[in-house]
Amino acid sequence: MDKKDLEILHLLQKDASIGIAELAQAVHLSVTPCWRRVQKMQEDGVIRQHVVLCDPVRLNLGLTVMVTLKAARHNEQWMQQFISGVKDIPEIVEILRMSGDIDYLLKVHVPDMAGFDQVYKKLVRVVDLQDVSSSFVMEVIKSTTALPLDYVNIKAARQT
C-alpha cells in the first residue's frame, strides 16, 4: 500500500457510495488506475465489505446496552454452543472475546428496557453463564467505523 491507497481508503471510509470517477478525481488519478487500486484492496481483504450505516434511533433502537459475560466453563464445547446461540440474535450487533476479568463483551441495540429483557432471556437460555452484567449507554460521544490509517506501513509508490 502507498499514500494513494491510503487517500482512497480515507475517502471510502467516509462515504463508500462515492462514485469511482469522483474518487479518482479526489485522489488525482484517472478512473482506471483508481478502480484497479480499489479492486486490489478488495482482493487483498483490506476492504472487507461495503455497507450502509443506519441510525438506530430512527429505527426504534434507541437503547444501546453493553453486556459483559463470564463463562461458566472454559472449554471448546461451551464456546461453540455460546457462539452458535448468540450469533443469530439480531439485536446483538457485536460480540468480542476479551482478556481479563470478563470473557465476552456484547453490544446490543433494542427499542427499550422490555426489548432488552427479551434479549437477556434469550441470552441466558443459550449456555450456562457465571455472570451477566449490563450497562446502558446514556450518550454516544464518538461513534465511527473509520479505522485510523496512520499505522499502515507505506511502501514506495507503485506503478499503476
Side-chain angles (χ1 to χ4, degrees):
M1 293 191 47
D2 63 17
K3 288 183 180 181
K4 286 289 181 197
D5 291 329
L6 294 181
E7 289 178 45
I8 291 168
L9 284 176
H10 177 74
L11 292 169
L12 288 175
Q13 285 191 113
K14 282 185 177 180
D15 182 4
S17 70
I18 187 172
I20 194 69
E22 186 180 350
L23 181 62
Q25 183 179 11
V27 298
H28 308 291
L29 287 172
S30 58
V31 171
T32 301
C34 184
W35 179 84
R36 284 187 189 131
R37 285 172 176 266
V38 171
Q39 292 301 306
K40 174 87 167 91
M41 286 188 280
Q42 288 175 337
E43 291 166 8
D44 291 347
V46 173
I47 298 174
R48 293 189 320 198
Q49 65 190 64
H50 300 267
V51 299
V52 172
L53 300 176
C54 300
D55 183 337
V57 172
R58 292 183 181 260
L59 296 174
N60 192 32
L61 296 168
L63 182 61
T64 303
V65 187
M66 304 305 287
V67 181
T68 60
L69 304 175
K70 289 185 182 181
R73 289 180 299 286
H74 292 90
N75 60 48
E76 184 70 21
Q77 180 184 356
W78 186 97
M79 188 171 66
Q80 291 306 320
Q81 186 178 349
F82 172 75
I83 292 169
S84 173
V86 295
K87 69 179 179 158
D88 293 327
I89 300 174
E91 296 88 351
I92 300 173
V93 297
E94 284 188 67
I95 303 169
L96 306 168
R97 191 165 61 90
M98 308 294 290
S99 66
D101 293 338
I102 63 168
D103 295 311
Y104 294 90
L105 176 64
L106 284 58
K107 183 176 183 181
V108 179
H109 285 290
V110 290
D112 51 27
M113 190 62 79
F116 177 66
D117 188 47
Q118 291 175 4
V119 172
Y120 175 85
K121 288 174 181 174
K122 289 179 193 176
L123 185 60
V124 297
R125 281 194 296 262
V126 170
V127 288
D128 290 333
L129 297 166
Q130 179 181 331
D131 186 53
V132 179
S133 181
S134 305
S135 296
F136 300 91
V137 175
M138 295 174 56
E139 179 182 11
V140 177
I141 306 299
K142 179 180 179 181
S143 176
T144 183
T145 59
L147 296 174
L149 301 175
D150 301 336
Y151 300 94
V152 177
N153 291 327
I154 298 176
K155 296 179 182 172
R158 62 180 181 195
Q159 297 292 333
T160 46

